[in-house]
């Protein structure tokens, strides 16, 4: 808990004793927990700086001639500290940069662009975070990567849309838009105009607490208005939406002031009328939508089988049964047979009713000038069907023409594709199981306790967990799940937090400890006071983080996007060329007539090859190669307590070859204690520490806390004590503190602080300081009235796994470096103990970022591992920022990777999981490209001249469906990921040491 309070203290002016603390403005990276107002006393200016820690700037750039120019500008800008995002639009000659003003400003960005060789000027246009909203929409009709690229292209072109991310793997789109220009309803309408159906999942306001209620009895506008006015009269109610057709009331509110039970009580009050209100039953949702889609495809497939199986039997089997064949070959009109009529009748519903979805998809794609998988399917099946119709009609009008139809090709092709889509949707549903499991962690009900002022329990009541309000006291029995984030107010137990943090060992909980919603109470009864409910809870934040991660594209996805632009047109050209080549060769007698099967002529043989080329080509496999692997990888990471923010973080992490570690709280436990005191002046330890504690009491730096705790222990015999008043308190960043106590000037800090204030350090003091630092302890010097009075030796124990983790990273060819604000001696001692050779000590926050940039300039891909506040400039500057020890407060706008446990082993897990995920992505690409590279020539008949082998169109269609399934199943193998076995050995050693 002390570590968390430290995180808040570091953003305050004058805090920290100066030993590695940051400047007053809170950096953007990473976000930290919201604490009670009493715990933070920041000024209004500082609070404003915190709220506006992320700024957008738009620049006009001239001199760009190609994409390489844009890439060089992006690279140069991203090297600056505090840059979160830099996007260069070469077509409009603009660059948009998202940055933290605490570390960089517009002038520096302008200078960097100009240093890169281009002219730039700032466009005075206010684009800040508050003018951006993000909505997430589920898309129906998204069949392949061409569809997703078309949708993305048209959405980005809309005025007011800043960014659109389409995820083919989970059929969703995330749109970043300006609410002053657009509404989410207009975006939904645009999606419908593009040719898809959109279902709103979230409208960009879900970060606010909200509740959906079903209200019965609201039949007139007057009643609706009356209810709305009554609810708005409640403190904390911000916005109310009502959907009359569903009777659904959505209320946005401040959970500190009110909650859902207050709303239900207000609605059902007898004064207003006879109304009933309850939690709105959610019939939809991700899981329900996926199940509906699976059932729909399965139903279509079964219906197609009803018609296709008889067609297949008539075309392939019955011809070998004389009696049946005789009936099928019976002539009706001229050369038209009974079998041809039956096949025509049975195939038509498959082609135009069951296969209607492919016509719709093709029309929508072609209407917007693009071509997708539906176009290929429609071309292939139409070619087979309409040629067959032509052949049948010609046979009916000719006394000599013998028809050869391909009705079985059309019907079987559609059936196989539907089977493939069914299996693909089934497999894709499993890629998002991680989120579904997280969402299922919250219990449906909770036991609410009603207590009196003395805390005595008056009543127990079981309520829906969605009705929990802040400050409610909940009873958690053994074996029950914790329904919300809260603080234990009574009882003791062990809680299994593995489902949230990945920590397998149950954590002891006593009064005052924090518990996380969704965790499992093991053996004792707990009374928990709710502190975070709804979207504020750690579980909700984790779900949002994982959802965002799964929406984000990995840079490697650009490869598939580039190929897909030309894929379908190229396949159509290859198909026509194949047909023309075989047809011309047949007419010009380029191959022996014996090659042509007896049941067809050269035109029909050429047509079969052309259709096979169309239907075997599969752009879907390419489109699914990256996002499915990223979805599974980020989901697995969440289950391991490693939250990875999407494909960008995954891709960067697998390339990491250098990791920069902070010392305090990262390599060490982060709870320093005073282990020795050396006093040079004749004074009692109590009097000496009393002056030091008085100077440090205004600081919340961990070293300051250690000194105060030590001073309190020395005065245990006193029932009540107050430290002397400290006046003129000053925090000197990176050095220490200065104050006037009992008319004496007290300096507490490092050697630099003493030298800066002309305090003489004797030879004996130098030797003691060297001795302390040689023991991996921090020596804190104390000066009173310009005279050195003593040295406090503070030790921060090394984490037990630190040495082994550094050794394992070395075996993974990852170099480790320590960059710390602590003194050189202590840093060297810690480095020697863990096996790190490169140390940068006494580094201020900006120097840490400079060291990261220096390593990057040397060609390294750098990860920074730190506590997320003092190290934030370096975390932002690094290619991958890892915030360690995030605990229960998940920072949504924080690091690239959030390690939920304060455990260094998770650094290895993050790197290893990233490498395994990208190995799987590469494997997926090899399979997808290899499939098309081998399949298209086979379908075109490359082996037919030498072996007589040809690929019938319906077999080619089955192969196409199988390719997508294989890529998804390949990604699903990541679900079997196990962290390196050596970490299990570390766990066992850790348990033995405990």
């Amino acid at each position: 808990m002390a570590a968390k309070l430290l995180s808040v203290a570091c953003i305050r002016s004058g805090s920290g004793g100066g030993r590695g603390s940051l400047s007053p403005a809170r950096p953007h990276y990473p976000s930290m927990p919201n604490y009670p107002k009493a715990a933070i006393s920041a000024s209004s200016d500082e609070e404003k700086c915190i709220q506006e820690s992320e700024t957008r700037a738009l620049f006009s750039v001239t001199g760009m001639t190609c994409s390489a120019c844009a890439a060089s500008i992006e690279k140069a800008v991203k090297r600056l500290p505090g840059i979160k995002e830099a996007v260069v639009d070469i077509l409009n000659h603009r660059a948009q940069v998202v940055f933290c003003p605490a570390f960089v400003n517009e002038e520096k960005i302008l200078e960097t662009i100009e240093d890169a060789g281009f002219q730039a000027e700032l466009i005075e246009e206010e684009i800040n975070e508050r003018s951006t909203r993000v909505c997430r929409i589920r898309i129906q009709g998204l069949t392949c990567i061409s569809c997703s690229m078309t949708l993305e292209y048209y959405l980005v072109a809309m005025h007011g849309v800043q960014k659109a991310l389409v995820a083919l793997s989970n059929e969703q789109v995330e749109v970043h838009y300006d609410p002053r220009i657009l509404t989410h309803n207009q975006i939904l309408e645009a999606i419908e105009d593009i040719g898809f159906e959109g279902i709103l999942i979230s409208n960009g306001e879900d970060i606010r607490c909200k509740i959906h209620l079903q209200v019965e009895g609201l039949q007139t506008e007057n009643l609706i208005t009356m209810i709305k006015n009554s609810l708005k009269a409640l403190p904390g109610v911000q916005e109310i939406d009502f959907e009359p057709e569903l009777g659904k009331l959505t209320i946005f509110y401040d959970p500190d002031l009110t909650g859902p039970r207050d709303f239900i009580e207000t609605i059902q009050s007898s004064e207003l009328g006879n109304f009933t209100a309850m939690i709105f039953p959610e019939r939809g949702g991700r899981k329900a939508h996926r199940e509906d889609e699976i059932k729909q495809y399965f139903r279509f497939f079964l219906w197609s089988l009803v018609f296709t199986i008889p067609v297949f039997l008539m075309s392939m089997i019955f011809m070998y049964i004389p009696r049946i064949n005789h009936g099928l070959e019976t002539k009706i009109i001229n050369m038209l047979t009974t079998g041809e009529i039956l096949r025509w009748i049975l195939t038509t519903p498959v082609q135009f009713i069951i296969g209607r979805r492919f016509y719709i998809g093709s029309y929508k794609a072609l209407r917007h000038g693009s071509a997708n998988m539906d176009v290929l399917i429609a071309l292939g099946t139409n070619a087979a069907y309409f040629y067959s119709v032509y052949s049948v009609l010609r046979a009916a009008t000719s006394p000599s023409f013998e028809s050869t139809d391909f009705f079985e090709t059309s019907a079987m092709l559609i059936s196989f594709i539907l089977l493939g889509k069914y299996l693909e949707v089934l497999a894709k549903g499993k890629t998002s199981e991680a989120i579904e499991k997280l969402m299922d962690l919250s219990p449906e009900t909770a036991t609410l306790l009603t207590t009196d002022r003395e805390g005595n329990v008056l009543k127990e009541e079981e309520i829906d967990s969605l009705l929990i309000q802040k400050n409610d006291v909940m009873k958690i029995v053994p074996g029950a799940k914790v329904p919300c984030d809260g603080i234990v107010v009574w009882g003791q137990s062990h809680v299994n937090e593995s489902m949230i943090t990945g920590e397998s060992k149950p954590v002891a909980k006593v009064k005052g400890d924090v518990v996380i919603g969704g965790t499992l109470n093991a053996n004792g009864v707990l009374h928990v006071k709710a502190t975070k409910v709804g979207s504020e809870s750690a579980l909700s934040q984790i779900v949002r983080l994982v959802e965002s991660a799964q929406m984000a594209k990995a840079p490697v996805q650009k490869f598939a996007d580039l190929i897909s632009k030309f894929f379908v047109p190229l396949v159509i050209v290859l198909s026509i060329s194949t047909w023309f080549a075989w047809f011309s060769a047949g007419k010009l007698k380029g191959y022996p007539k014996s090659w042509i099967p007896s049941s067809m002529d050269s035109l029909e043989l050429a047509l079969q090859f052309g259709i096979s080329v169309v239907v075997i080509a599969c752009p879907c496999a390419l489109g699914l190669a990256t996002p499915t692997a990223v979805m599974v990888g980020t989901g697995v990471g969440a289950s391991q307590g490693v939250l990875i923010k999407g494909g960008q973080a995954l891709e960067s992490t697998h390339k990491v070859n250098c990791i920069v570690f902070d010392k305090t709280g990262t390599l060490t436990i982060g709870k320093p204690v005073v282990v020795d005191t050396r006093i040079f002046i004749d004074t009692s330890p109590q009097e000496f520490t009393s002056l030091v504690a008085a100077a440090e009491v205004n600081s919340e730096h961990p070293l300051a806390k250690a000194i105060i705790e030590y001073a309190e222990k020395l005065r245990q015999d006193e029932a009540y004590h107050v430290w002397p008043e400290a006046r003129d308190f000053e925090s000197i960043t990176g050095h220490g503190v200065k104050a006037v106590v009992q008319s004496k000037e007290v300096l507490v800090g490092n050697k630099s602080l003493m030298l800066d204030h002309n305090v003489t350090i004797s030879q004996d003091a130098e030797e003691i300081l060297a001795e302390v630092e040689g023991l991996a302890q921090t020596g804190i010097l104390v000066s009173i009235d310009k005279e050195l009075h003593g040295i406090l030796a503070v030790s921060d124990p090394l984490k037990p796994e630190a040495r082994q983790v550094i050794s394992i990273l070395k075996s993974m060819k990852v170099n480790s470096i320590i960059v710390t604000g602590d003194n050189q001696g202590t840093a060297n001692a810690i480095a020697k103990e863990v096996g790190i050779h490169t140390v940068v000590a006494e580094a201020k926050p900006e120097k840490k970022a400079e060291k990261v940039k220096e390593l990057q300039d040397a060609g390294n891909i750098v990860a920074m591992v730190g506590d997320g506040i003092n190290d934030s400039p370096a975390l932002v500057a690094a290619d991958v920022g890892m915030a360690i020890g995030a605990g229960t407060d998940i920072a949504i706008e924080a690091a690239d990777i959030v390690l939920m446990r304060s455990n260094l082993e998770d650094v290895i897990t993050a790197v290893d999981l990233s490498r395994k995920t990208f190995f799987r992505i590469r494997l997926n690409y090899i399979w997808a490209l290899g499939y098309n590279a081998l399949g298209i020539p086979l379908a075109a008949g490359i082996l037919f001249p030498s072996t007589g082998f040809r690929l019938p169109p319906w077999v080619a269609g089955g192969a196409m469906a199988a390719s997508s399934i294989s890529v998804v199943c390949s990604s699903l193998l990541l679900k079997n990921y196990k962290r390196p076995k050596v970490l299990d050995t570390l766990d066992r050693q850790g348990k033995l040491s405990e």
Side-chain angles (χ1 to χ4, degrees):
M1 194 66 189
K4 291 180 183 175
L5 289 174
L6 157 68
S7 302
V8 178
C10 289
I11 67 172
R12 291 165 45 185
S13 176
S15 71
R19 291 166 291 271
S21 61
L22 257 185
S23 55
R26 177 178 179 169
H28 166 70
Y29 191 119
S31 306
M32 292 300 288
N34 294 320
Y35 289 93
K37 292 179 181 177
I40 303 177
S41 57
S43 68
S44 60
D45 288 339
E46 291 162 350
E47 290 173 349
K48 182 180 178 182
C49 184
I50 292 169
Q51 292 168 359
E52 298 182 351
S53 60
E54 180 177 293
T55 301
R56 293 175 185 267
L58 196 63
F59 301 88
S60 173
V61 183
T62 54
M64 292 190 293
T65 57
C66 64
S67 58
C69 298
S72 65
I73 293 173
E74 283 187 14
K75 187 175 181 180
V77 172
K78 286 178 179 177
R79 289 293 188 195
L80 293 171
I83 300 295
K84 187 183 178 194
E85 187 179 14
V87 180
V88 178
D89 179 1
I90 188 172
L91 296 177
N92 296 309
H93 303 284
R94 290 188 173 193
Q96 182 172 289
V97 183
V98 182
F99 64 97
C100 178
F103 309 118
V104 71
N105 54 32
E106 291 91 343
E107 289 74 21
K108 182 64 176 175
I109 298 169
L110 270 173
E111 183 183 329
T112 302
I113 296 173
E114 289 171 354
D115 288 343
F118 304 89
Q119 292 181 342
E121 62 177 316
L122 180 66
I123 299 174
E124 296 295 335
E125 180 178 336
E126 186 184 358
I127 305 177
N128 55 49
E129 192 174 23
R130 287 173 294 177
S131 67
T132 301
R133 188 168 291 171
V134 182
C135 69
R136 187 175 281 113
I137 299 167
R138 182 176 293 115
I139 305 297
Q140 293 185 351
L142 205 62
T143 57
C144 70
I145 190 171
S146 298
C147 299
S148 63
M149 289 185 65
T150 301
L151 179 60
E152 197 168 292
Y153 172 80
Y154 280 100
L155 285 176
V156 170
M158 288 181 66
H159 180 54
V161 172
Q162 296 160 5
K163 185 167 63 173
L165 298 171
V166 180
L168 176 62
S169 52
N170 59 4
E171 296 172 4
Q172 291 183 16
V173 60
E174 185 177 273
V175 184
H176 298 240
Y177 66 100
D178 189 338
R180 298 170 301 183
I181 301 172
L182 276 176
T183 66
H184 63 267
N185 287 325
Q186 289 174 309
I187 295 172
L188 286 170
E189 289 171 8
I191 289 171
E192 191 173 339
D193 290 340
I194 296 167
F196 302 94
E197 184 181 346
I199 301 171
L200 187 69
I201 298 174
S202 64
N203 63 2
E205 298 175 335
D206 286 356
I207 54 172
R208 297 186 292 169
C209 272
K210 68 175 180 179
I211 190 74
H212 300 298
L213 300 178
Q214 187 169 46
V215 183
E216 296 179 359
L218 292 180
Q219 298 169 347
T220 66
E221 284 293 331
N222 288 337
L223 291 175
I224 294 169
T225 303
M226 184 172 64
I227 288 291
K228 282 185 176 182
N229 291 338
S230 299
L231 290 171
K232 284 179 180 177
L234 294 174
V237 173
Q238 298 166 344
E239 189 179 335
I240 301 172
D241 291 331
F242 184 67
E243 299 176 45
E245 63 277 6
L246 299 175
K248 182 180 180 181
L249 196 68
T250 302
I251 306 168
F252 296 89
Y253 64 97
D254 182 348
D256 290 321
L257 301 175
T258 188
R261 293 203 308 281
D262 296 336
F263 307 147
I264 291 175
E265 184 180 340
T266 300
I267 292 168
Q268 295 183 161
S269 62
S270 56
E271 297 175 3
L272 293 175
N274 188 22
F275 306 118
T276 58
M278 65 187 76
I279 297 294
F280 187 82
E282 295 289 348
R283 302 177 184 87
R286 178 195 304 270
K287 196 170 181 179
H289 170 73
R290 185 67 67 185
E291 287 173 355
D292 288 344
E293 192 177 18
I294 289 169
K295 287 176 183 176
Q296 186 185 57
Y297 272 114
F298 187 63
R299 187 168 63 251
F300 280 144
F301 171 64
L302 287 181
W303 273 110
S304 70
L305 282 185
V306 169
F307 296 99
T308 301
I309 288 175
V311 174
F312 171 77
L313 292 174
M314 283 187 280
S315 300
M316 306 290 183
I317 307 296
F318 291 163
M319 65 176 65
Y320 301 109
I321 303 174
R323 289 186 178 180
I324 299 177
N325 186 50
H326 177 72
L328 294 174
E329 292 297 325
T330 302
K331 304 287 191 298
I332 300 175
I333 303 172
N334 289 327
M335 299 300 289
L336 181 64
T337 65
T338 307
E340 289 166 350
I341 290 293
L342 289 173
R343 288 194 292 272
W344 188 4
I345 292 170
L346 289 169
T347 301
T348 300
V350 178
Q351 181 71 35
F352 297 108
I353 299 176
I354 297 170
R356 178 172 173 265
R357 61 182 299 108
F358 302 121
Y359 285 99
I360 295 171
S362 301
Y363 168 73
K364 290 175 178 177
L366 293 172
R367 191 179 66 169
H368 294 283
S370 64
N372 60 10
M373 190 192 75
D374 288 335
V375 172
L376 295 180
I377 296 170
L379 277 175
T381 56
N382 278 335
Y385 179 83
F386 285 108
Y387 176 79
S388 300
V389 171
Y390 159 77
S391 182
V392 167
L393 292 176
R394 186 175 172 187
T397 58
S398 172
S400 58
F401 178 80
E402 290 188 10
S403 169
T404 301
D405 66 80
F406 295 145
F407 284 124
E408 80 285 350
T409 295
S410 169
M412 291 174 68
L413 191 53
I414 289 173
S415 296
F416 268 105
I417 290 166
L418 288 172
L419 174 62
K421 292 298 289 183
Y422 164 68
L423 295 174
E424 182 186 321
V425 171
L426 203 63
K428 276 163 57 177
K430 296 183 182 298
T431 62
S432 58
E433 278 185 354
I435 289 183
E436 290 169 8
K437 286 180 180 178
L438 284 169
M439 295 174 76
D440 289 341
L441 287 177
S442 294
E444 292 184 1
T445 60
T447 303
L448 175 67
L449 298 179
T450 303
T451 59
D452 58 19
R453 292 183 178 179
E454 286 73 35
N456 300 314
V457 177
L458 302 177
K459 185 176 71 171
E460 291 185 13
E461 178 186 2
E462 189 172 278
I463 62 169
D464 191 305
S465 59
L466 294 175
L467 295 177
I468 297 173
Q469 300 182 184
K470 269 192 179 180
N471 299 320
D472 282 346
V473 177
M474 318 306 298
K475 178 181 179 181
I476 321 294
V477 298
K481 288 181 180 179
V482 179
C484 61
D485 293 4
I487 297 175
V488 176
V489 294
W490 180 87
Q492 59 183 23
S493 181
H494 286 79
V495 176
N496 184 350
E497 297 181 345
S498 61
M499 57 285 294
I500 300 292
T501 65
E503 176 61 70
S504 57
K505 184 180 176 183
V507 182
K509 300 292 181 183
V510 296
K511 184 178 179 179
D513 285 345
V514 173
V515 291
I516 312 170
T519 55
L520 187 68
N521 184 26
N523 49 21
V525 177
L526 295 175
H527 290 179
V528 174
K529 184 178 182 179
T531 56
K532 292 184 178 180
V533 295
S535 57
E536 288 186 326
S537 69
L539 183 58
S540 295
Q541 292 184 29
I542 293 171
V543 169
R544 285 205 302 273
L545 189 148
V546 176
E547 283 180 332
S548 296
Q550 294 182 345
M551 287 296 300
K553 282 188 179 181
V556 74
Q557 178 69 26
K558 293 177 182 177
F559 173 66
D561 292 347
L562 179 65
I563 292 176
S564 68
K565 286 182 181 179
F566 312 101
F567 189 88
V568 175
L570 180 63
V571 168
I572 293 171
V573 170
L574 286 174
S575 172
I576 294 171
S577 301
T578 299
W579 171 81
F580 183 75
W582 278 102
F583 177 69
S584 299
K587 289 296 182 183
L588 299 173
K589 298 186 174 15
Y591 58 83
K593 198 170 183 179
S594 60
W595 285 12
I596 305 174
S598 58
S599 60
M600 60 180 70
D601 58 21
S602 60
L603 171 63
E604 291 159 352
L605 179 66
L607 189 61
Q608 275 210 350
F609 283 128
I611 292 171
S612 293
V613 169
V614 167
V615 297
I616 201 170
C618 184
C620 292
L622 271 173
L624 292 169
T626 298
T628 52
V630 170
M631 283 187 75
V632 178
T634 51
V636 167
S639 67
Q640 299 272 353
V642 178
L643 300 182
I644 304 170
K645 289 189 69 176
Q648 176 73 58
L650 263 176
E651 183 161 348
S652 298
T653 305
H654 97 279
K655 300 175 185 174
V656 165
N657 58 7
C658 179
I659 296 184
V660 176
F661 288 93
D662 174 45
K663 181 182 76 70
T664 306
T666 303
L667 291 172
T668 62
I669 291 174
K671 294 182 179 179
V673 292
V674 177
V675 293
D676 193 13
T677 306
R678 305 288 183 92
I679 302 175
F680 305 139
I681 305 298
D682 186 18
T683 183
S684 67
Q686 287 85 353
E687 184 181 350
F688 173 74
T689 55
S690 178
L691 288 172
V692 177
E696 290 281 22
V697 75
N698 292 313
S699 170
E700 292 189 48
H701 194 281
L703 296 182
K705 286 179 174 294
I707 293 170
I708 293 166
E709 287 175 6
Y710 176 71
E712 286 174 344
K713 285 180 182 177
L714 292 179
R715 303 180 68 167
Q716 283 181 3
D717 52 330
E718 298 182 26
Y720 179 76
H721 62 268
V722 178
W723 305 119
E725 181 185 0
R727 294 181 292 105
D728 301 329
F729 174 83
E730 182 183 354
S731 169
I732 303 166
T733 303
H735 296 286
V737 298
K738 176 183 176 183
V740 175
V741 182
Q742 294 178 343
S743 301
K744 299 174 182 178
E745 183 186 73
V746 180
L747 292 172
V748 184
N750 56 22
K751 187 176 176 180
S752 297
L753 179 69
M754 301 298 139
L755 295 176
D756 289 346
H757 287 77
N758 302 317
V759 177
T760 303
I761 302 175
S762 66
Q763 185 62 36
D764 289 343
E766 291 275 14
E767 290 175 1
I768 292 171
L769 201 57
E771 177 190 339
V772 166
E773 292 174 356
L775 295 171
Q777 298 169 357
T778 300
I780 299 178
L781 288 79
V782 179
S783 159
I784 300 175
D785 289 335
K786 304 293 184 181
E787 183 179 4
L788 189 66
H789 271 53
I791 296 177
L792 297 169
V794 180
S795 174
D796 186 4
L798 195 68
K799 288 182 178 177
E801 75 275 10
R803 183 175 182 81
Q804 290 91 330
V805 166
I806 299 302
S807 176
I808 294 167
L809 286 172
K810 191 174 182 179
S811 70
M812 297 169 71
K813 298 183 180 178
V814 177
N815 186 33
S816 298
I817 295 173
I818 291 179
V819 179
T820 177
D822 213 333
N823 62 73
Q824 190 71 52
T826 304
N828 286 336
I830 289 289
K832 184 178 179 181
E833 196 170 343
V834 298
I836 293 178
H837 302 296
T838 306
V839 180
V840 178
E842 300 180 18
K844 294 182 179 180
E846 58 273 18
K847 187 178 178 182
K848 292 183 180 182
E850 288 171 8
K851 182 61 181 177
V852 168
K853 288 173 65 60
E854 182 184 317
L855 291 166
Q856 289 171 330
D857 292 338
N860 294 295
I861 304 298
V862 182
M864 173 69 195
V865 185
D867 62 12
I869 286 294
N870 289 343
D871 311 302
S872 52
L875 285 164
V876 173
D879 296 287
V880 180
M882 297 187 187
I884 193 167
T888 62
D889 301 286
I890 308 303
I892 295 304
E893 296 295 332
D896 299 305
I897 296 178
V898 181
L899 309 178
M900 295 183 62
R901 302 180 296 174
S902 186
N903 196 325
L904 286 174
E905 296 171 15
D906 291 339
V907 175
I908 295 173
T909 301
V911 174
D912 184 65
L913 175 60
S914 174
R915 290 180 177 182
K916 294 280 173 54
T917 302
F918 262 78
F919 169 77
R920 188 61 54 183
I921 289 172
R922 291 192 188 102
L923 204 61
N924 288 350
Y925 275 130
I926 290 170
W927 170 252
L929 290 171
Y931 160 82
N932 284 295
L934 291 173
I936 291 175
L938 280 176
I942 195 171
L943 296 179
F944 186 66
S946 58
T947 65
F949 173 81
R950 61 187 174 88
L951 207 61
W954 61 271
V955 175
M960 183 200 70
S963 66
S964 296
I965 298 165
S966 63
V967 166
V968 176
C969 290
S970 170
S971 296
L972 284 173
L973 290 175
L974 277 171
K975 291 179 72 175
N976 300 322
Y977 170 82
K978 303 290 182 188
R979 65 185 194 154
K981 289 183 179 179
V982 67
L983 295 183
D984 296 330
T985 307
L986 269 181
D987 278 350
R988 288 194 292 271
Q989 290 174 354
K991 288 174 183 176
L992 286 173
S993 65
E994 287 173 9

